[in-house]
Amino acid sequence: MAAASCTGPNTPGAPAPEWASDSASVRVAAGPQYARGAAWRFFWGTHYRDIWATPVTAPVLRLATVLPGGLTPTRAGGSYQSHTLRLCTDNGREFVLRSVDKDASTALPAGWKRRVLGRLMKDQTSAGQPYGAYVAAQLAEAVGVYHTNPQLIFLPNDRHLGKFRDGYANALYLLEERPEGNQHALATFGYSPDVVSSRHMLAAIHLQPTAQVEARAYLRARLLDMWLGDWSRREDQWRWASFPQPGRITYRPIPRDRDQAFFLFDDGLITRLVSWFVPKYHSFHATIRPSTVDGLTTTARALDRTLLGTLNAADFRQQAEAMRARLTDAVIANALKAGPTETRDAIAARLGPLLRARREQLPELAQRYYQILAGEAWVVGTDQAERFVISAAGPGALRVSMYARHPAKPDSLISERVYNRKETYQVNVYGLAGDDIFELVPPLKSGQIVNIFDGAGHDQLVNPAQTLSTIENITWYSSSDGNASRNNTGLIIKPNPDAQLTSNSLNWLRRYNLHD
């Protein structure tokens, strides 16, 4: 990939960096092009234009000498906004450079749309806080969430860039560890022996029940996302620290790419109108309205339903209250000292009061978040043989238990949760592959919709009910691949409209936004 440098000599009109006398550092603004007049700011927002246009001091990265043996560029990449460069030491340790400046216009198709809208989209990069990643890392540490450790650097026109020289020289970057592979020496990745992608983790937990994600750790990370106003948390924005133990493996989340933390978009006339129609563009203000939580969390909705389905309202409340207690005024003030000295006071003055105000709303935020996820609940099996037991749990309540089937010993409980009609209107049970048993224990008249998707394998649905009145609102979506049922009284039976998607763990991955 060869892209124009984000800042520096290749950017038309950009001031040249001011080099220190010893050439060890430079002074340069991350985005002087975002400085705009009053009329433009009125329509398109003030955002963080002053921070982008402020020159900051950054150390110069010398690839040959920054570490013993140096760093060698190996691969270019990036998302639809930023571009990255992967670096490797001579002993295989990997780092990544992520551009401070972004360009969302590259997401537009080439042609008139990019010509007409490209400059406007590029200008809206100023809605992001250019140095928010440093603050976010400190706050993640305070609440026990794994994180990368970004450092601001300036990449000069270094001959060791080789073929990447034209596309990457003379710009500001975040240099950080690449969260992948063996990280046994790094505390902020949990000393994990193997950090993996979201694709790897999701394939593992749906292949067999002995692989699981620590749901409370993921919930804590998601509450941190919302507190920081970071709406861009799709599946490829995560890595997973794995911890193998005899007979099982556990995963804990590592959020990455904090480009949209502290996002401020709705402070212009036109951008405010846009935010009404694109709810995920949540702007970082003192008050988090409950009505905005849906949009703020939408990019990771499938991941949330998958990984948080075993937790109840009390779990959400407990994590939120624990986070609020740990995020003291002193912790917030210390985190705001991160980043360039030239912008530190301005960032602290702007973000400090907002972070303190939003902290007090964490329990309410968690409650609303729980309500959104609880409305439509997922129970997802694996490619191994499981037994799903659906039974009554009192008036207006339903219990779903999932067991691992063992041919020569009793089945073992994997998960169990009670769903209340006041919170949950629909429960979807996905068996995936394996010879599964779906066992109904009537009476089942909670008033909730239950959809059973059997998946691949020779599945059985067991229904001992003899009268229609004992079962309501239960639909079996059968794949018609040799499945069997004992008594269909009271059941609605339909062909599975997503037979391929729900057939096994590999096809199930299409549920997620995976580009890693």
Side-chain angles (χ1 to χ4, degrees):
M1 169 179 158
S5 179
C6 289
T7 58
N10 294 333
T11 301
E18 299 176 13
W19 287 79
S21 58
D22 60 359
S23 297
S25 64
V26 300
R27 183 176 168 84
V28 64
Q33 67 273 25
Y34 302 126
R36 295 283 188 165
W40 185 274
R41 295 197 305 271
F42 175 79
F43 287 104
W44 297 103
T46 297
H47 304 339
Y48 294 105
R49 297 181 189 277
D50 56 337
I51 304 297
W52 281 97
T54 300
V56 299
T57 302
V60 174
L61 180 69
R62 305 291 183 184
L63 294 175
T65 59
V66 63
L67 291 173
L71 288 172
T72 302
T74 60
R75 180 179 174 183
S79 68
Y80 75 96
Q81 289 194 38
S82 61
H83 66 296
T84 64
L85 184 62
R86 195 178 300 180
L87 309 171
C88 190
T89 65
D90 56 2
N91 64 357
R93 188 180 177 193
E94 288 191 311
F95 292 81
V96 65
L97 290 171
R98 293 177 40 239
S99 60
V100 174
D101 198 8
K102 317 294 176 187
D103 187 1
S105 69
T106 57
L108 295 172
W112 71 267
K113 287 186 178 180
R114 186 176 295 184
R115 289 194 300 271
V116 173
L117 300 175
R119 293 182 65 182
L120 289 175
M121 290 186 68
K122 179 72 175 74
D123 175 76
Q124 290 307 302
T125 296
S126 58
Q129 167 55 257
Y131 310 116
Y134 310 106
V135 178
Q138 298 298 314
L139 294 171
E141 180 72 21
V143 296
V145 173
Y146 294 158
H147 59 88
T148 58
N149 298 280
Q151 302 174 53
L152 181 67
I153 63 92
F154 180 82
L155 184 63
N157 192 6
D158 190 329
R159 65 181 180 84
H160 293 92
L161 283 169
K163 65 181 180 180
F164 304 108
R165 196 169 183 175
D166 289 343
Y168 287 83
N170 297 320
L172 287 173
Y173 291 89
L174 276 68
L175 173 67
E176 59 189 18
E177 314 90 340
R178 186 166 182 265
E180 187 163 308
N182 190 338
Q183 300 290 342
H184 68 275
L186 195 58
T188 56
F189 293 166
Y191 304 108
S192 171
D194 190 20
V195 174
V196 301
S197 68
S198 290
R199 180 182 297 276
H200 182 111
M201 176 276 294
L202 287 166
I205 66 172
H206 291 130
L207 182 63
Q208 54 189 7
T210 53
Q212 295 186 348
V213 169
E214 286 191 9
R216 287 173 177 80
Y218 180 65
L219 173 58
R220 193 160 55 247
R222 291 296 283 131
L223 291 174
L224 178 66
D225 293 340
M226 287 178 270
W227 182 54
L228 298 176
D230 190 350
W231 54 267
S232 182
R233 302 310 308 158
R234 60 191 183 276
E235 287 83 352
D236 65 348
Q237 303 287 59
W238 301 85
R239 289 294 183 266
W240 304 88
S242 66
F243 300 94
Q245 299 171 322
R248 63 192 300 256
I249 187 168
T250 303
Y251 297 95
R252 298 175 195 153
I254 305 173
R256 63 171 189 157
D257 191 350
R258 288 295 186 185
D259 291 341
Q260 306 305 338
F262 314 111
F263 187 72
L264 180 58
F265 182 71
D266 66 355
D267 58 345
L269 178 62
I270 295 176
T271 55
R272 177 176 287 271
L273 291 174
V274 171
S275 69
W276 291 349
F277 295 96
V278 188
K280 71 178 181 180
Y281 289 164
H282 170 89
S283 286
F284 192 77
H285 297 303
T287 300
I288 311 172
R289 299 190 310 276
S291 61
T292 67
V293 174
D294 191 6
L296 179 57
T297 59
T298 191
T299 58
R301 187 58 45 78
L303 195 62
D304 291 347
R305 292 199 193 282
T306 301
L307 303 183
L308 299 176
T310 59
L311 302 183
N312 57 34
D315 296 319
F316 277 65
R317 182 173 59 253
Q318 181 185 41
Q319 289 297 321
E321 290 175 348
M323 282 184 62
R324 182 173 63 176
R326 296 178 73 169
L327 292 168
T328 63
D329 288 357
V331 165
I332 293 173
N334 185 65
L336 290 168
K337 294 177 182 177
T341 56
E342 293 89 346
T343 57
R344 190 173 296 165
D345 290 345
I347 292 174
R350 181 177 296 187
L351 299 185
L354 305 183
L355 284 168
R356 292 191 291 271
R358 291 167 72 96
R359 172 192 60 197
E360 299 308 312
Q361 300 166 64
L362 276 170
E364 180 184 6
L365 171 68
Q367 180 183 20
R368 177 58 187 145
Y369 179 41
Y370 170 77
Q371 291 170 349
I372 292 170
L373 296 182
E376 179 189 332
W378 290 3
V379 181
V380 187
T382 75
D383 282 355
Q384 307 306 310
E386 278 108 25
R387 179 165 61 95
F388 300 84
V389 180
I390 302 172
S391 59
L398 189 73
R399 176 181 286 106
V400 180
S401 307
M402 180 167 62
Y403 297 85
R405 293 179 61 194
H406 303 294
K409 58 182 180 179
D411 297 345
S412 57
L413 182 66
I414 299 171
S415 67
E416 183 175 82
R417 182 174 160 191
V418 172
Y419 301 94
N420 192 293
R421 183 174 59 196
K422 295 179 180 179
E423 299 173 345
T424 304
Y425 70 88
Q426 179 173 309
V427 179
N428 295 337
V429 181
Y430 301 96
L432 302 186
D435 296 338
D436 300 321
I437 295 175
F438 301 90
E439 183 178 339
L440 307 182
V441 183
L444 294 170
K445 303 178 66 175
S446 66
Q448 296 154 296
I449 298 170
V450 178
N451 297 316
I452 299 172
F453 300 83
D454 52 32
H458 297 291
D459 305 312
Q460 302 178 52
L461 192 143
V462 179
N463 173 21
Q466 298 300 317
T467 63
L468 183 64
S469 61
T470 58
I471 290 180
E472 292 180 351
N473 300 322
I474 297 181
T475 302
W476 179 24
Y477 290 96
S478 176
S479 300
S480 301
D481 54 356
N483 300 324
S485 63
R486 302 179 197 170
N487 188 4
N488 296 332
T489 303
L491 285 174
I492 303 170
I493 302 178
K494 296 182 178 180
N496 188 343
D498 296 315
Q500 185 176 13
L501 178 68
T502 61
S503 63
N504 57 45
S505 61
L506 181 61
N507 288 330
W508 181 257
L509 292 181
R510 291 157 51 197
R511 282 276 189 187
Y512 310 101
N513 185 359
L514 297 170
H515 300 290
D516 51 1

